[in-house]
């Protein structure tokens, strides 16, 4: 939120504004989000703030801890490794089904999605690009048509999107888009083995490129960051 812009006054708008601050790393992982301070910043009731924080918690951007309050989520190295291990296992199997089932219409949808990814990377919109790069994998699962797999991947990819939003560089985001394109080229050619290899390499590359531990230093002041 800036001095020149009017303060958001609905829970939805407040949640979006806080999410943008998290995406732009003006609110670092682990930062406390006091309801009273947020209510003063946004000039709304604590009820609206509480509702916004619940929305952010559902998106895994905020952790709500009983008797302690709300904090910006702070993914750990172990959690990141576990998430990407499970994703590589599941998505390798999913890729073979995708190659066997994808239609020309499906590839057209994916081509359009890849273009959106490229634009988000170009615009340096961290929140949007992380969501789009994550949604690519969910779109593959939906094309396969396995609802159980899709549900699992939605949860895993949602958490992955938070991690990449916080820690993935612009260069690595561009690489992810290029790797998605290479995967689609192999799948479109009907080369399932190559497509599996590319997907496994892509997910491993994303994991290895993440700097999950944030730099040490004094915690940023919440009010100063929200008002900057």
């Amino acid at each position: 939120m800036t001095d020149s812009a009017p303060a958001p006054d609905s829970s939805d708008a407040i949640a979006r504004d806080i999410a943008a601050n998290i995406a732009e790393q003006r609110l670092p992982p682990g930062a406390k989000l006091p309801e009273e301070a947020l209510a003063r910043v946004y000039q709304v009731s604590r009820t609206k703030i509480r509702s916004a924080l619940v929305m952010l918690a559902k998106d895994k951007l905020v952790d709500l801890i009983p008797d302690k309050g709300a904090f910006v989520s702070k993914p750990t190295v172990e959690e990141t490794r576990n998430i990407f291990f499970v994703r590589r296992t599941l998505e390798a199997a999913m890729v073979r089904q995708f190659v066997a089932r994808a239609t020309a219409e499906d590839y057209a949808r994916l081509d359009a999605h890849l273009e959106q990814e490229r634009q988000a990377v170009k615009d340096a919109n961290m929140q949007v690009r992380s969501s789009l790069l994550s949604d690519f994998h969910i779109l593959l699962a939906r094309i396969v048509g396995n609802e159980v797999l899709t549900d699992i991947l939605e949860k895993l990819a949602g958490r992955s999107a938070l991690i990449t939003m916080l820690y993935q560089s612009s260069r690595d985001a561009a690489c992810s888009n290029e790797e998605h394109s290479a995967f689609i080229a192999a799948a479109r050619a009907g080369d399932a083995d190559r497509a599996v290899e590319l997907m496994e390499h892509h997910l491993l590359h994303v994991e290895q490129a993440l700097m999950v531990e944030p730099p040490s230093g004094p915690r940023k002041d919440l009010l100063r960051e929200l008002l900057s």
Side-chain angles (χ1 to χ4, degrees):
M1 193 173 76
T2 64
D3 293 333
S4 59
D9 60 2
S10 71
S11 294
D12 284 343
I14 292 167
R16 287 195 299 271
D17 194 65
I18 294 174
N21 276 273
I22 293 172
E24 294 162 10
Q25 300 186 23
R26 291 201 294 266
L27 288 171
K32 189 171 184 179
L33 302 172
E35 289 182 8
E36 185 176 351
L38 288 168
R40 288 199 303 270
V41 169
Y42 290 104
Q43 301 175 9
V44 296
S45 68
R46 292 181 66 174
T47 300
K48 285 189 176 181
I49 295 298
R50 195 170 299 118
S51 178
L53 293 174
V54 168
M55 294 176 192
L56 292 166
K58 288 181 179 178
D59 290 336
K60 306 298 185 183
L61 292 177
V62 166
D63 293 326
L64 298 178
I65 303 176
D67 301 323
K68 291 187 177 181
F71 299 82
V72 177
S73 290
K74 188 177 182 180
T76 65
V77 172
E78 182 179 8
E79 179 186 9
T80 299
R81 288 173 178 164
N82 290 339
I83 287 172
F84 279 93
F85 172 78
V86 174
R87 286 192 60 182
R88 286 195 299 275
T89 303
L90 289 176
E91 294 193 46
M94 176 188 73
V95 164
R96 294 192 182 279
Q97 288 186 306
F98 170 80
V99 173
R101 298 184 184 185
T103 65
E105 182 180 351
D106 293 327
Y107 282 114
R109 290 169 60 198
L110 287 162
D111 288 340
H113 186 92
L114 290 173
E115 183 55 39
Q116 289 181 301
E117 289 182 4
R118 281 188 283 272
Q119 189 60 49
V121 170
K122 181 179 178 181
D123 293 342
N125 188 324
M126 287 179 283
Q127 186 177 6
V128 172
R129 85 184 183 202
S130 294
S131 294
L132 287 169
L133 290 169
S134 176
D135 287 347
F136 175 83
H137 297 262
I138 297 171
L139 183 53
L140 297 180
R142 288 175 178 161
I143 289 170
V144 167
N146 185 321
E147 292 184 5
V148 175
L149 175 63
T150 301
D151 183 62
I152 294 172
L153 277 184
E154 282 179 343
K155 291 181 172 63
L156 291 172
R159 193 62 174 169
S160 301
L162 166 66
I163 295 168
T164 56
M165 183 179 74
L166 292 172
Y167 303 118
Q168 188 179 51
S169 70
S170 295
R171 178 182 177 184
D172 289 319
C175 286
S176 287
N177 173 254
E178 292 167 3
E179 289 167 359
H180 286 175
S181 297
F183 162 79
I184 287 299
R188 188 178 258 132
D191 191 342
D193 290 339
R194 179 61 176 160
V196 169
E197 179 185 357
L198 288 170
M199 180 60 76
E200 290 178 332
H201 170 78
H202 164 58
L203 291 171
L204 184 62
H205 181 208
V206 172
E207 177 190 350
Q208 292 176 339
L210 295 173
M211 295 180 59
V212 180
E213 290 299 331
S216 59
R219 176 172 290 179
K220 298 181 182 180
D221 179 76
L222 170 66
L223 291 178
R224 185 178 71 244
E225 292 304 317
L226 283 176
L227 290 170
S228 65

